[in-house]
Amino acid sequence: MLCLSDEVLEGHVIAKFFVPSELDCLHRCVLSDNCVSFNYQRLSFKSTRRTCELNDVTLLSSGETLVRRNGYSYKEPIELPYDVSNRVHLDQKVE
């Protein structure tokens, strides 16, 4: 996963959530049809919930630069190069 601290991508947020962890933010991005990157609030002194902003572009595809925002991170999940329909389930025997 690409991770850039204290920077965010602005102008491409398609959804905003308040989540308890970075993993929850990543999960929301992966489940969204249009999410390809996200901004995550790493530090919050007022709440246990953190801001999660889903973006519909990546840094490269947007052609823009990141904006400094202390306490946040810009992240791009990496797609795995395999067909999910061919995964082995935990209860299947591998031969």
Side-chain angles (χ1 to χ4, degrees):
M1 178 181 306
L2 172 66
C3 177
L4 301 170
S5 295
D6 295 322
E7 295 182 300
V8 296
L9 182 62
E10 290 187 338
H12 300 282
V13 174
I14 55 172
K16 183 176 180 178
F17 302 98
F18 296 97
V19 296
S21 72
E22 181 181 331
L23 186 59
D24 288 298
C25 191
L26 172 62
H27 185 87
R28 287 184 184 258
C29 184
V30 170
L31 291 179
S32 171
D33 290 334
N34 299 320
C35 181
V36 291
S37 68
F38 61 93
N39 306 316
Y40 176 70
Q41 181 185 22
R42 297 183 334 273
L43 305 173
S44 176
F45 299 107
K46 297 180 182 177
S47 172
T48 57
R49 297 273 198 205
R50 299 191 173 27
T51 304
C52 169
E53 299 172 334
L54 307 185
N55 301 313
D56 61 355
V57 296
T58 63
L59 178 59
L60 184 60
S61 70
S62 72
E64 298 180 28
T65 56
L66 296 176
V67 176
R68 183 151 183 84
R69 195 186 299 170
N70 291 334
Y72 280 74
S73 290
Y74 168 78
K75 299 184 182 259
E76 289 180 16
I78 296 173
E79 286 189 33
L80 298 175
Y82 62 82
D83 181 3
V84 237
S85 63
N86 291 327
R87 287 190 301 189
V88 175
H89 295 279
L90 293 176
D91 56 352
Q92 289 180 333
K93 291 182 182 178
V94 179
E95 297 180 21

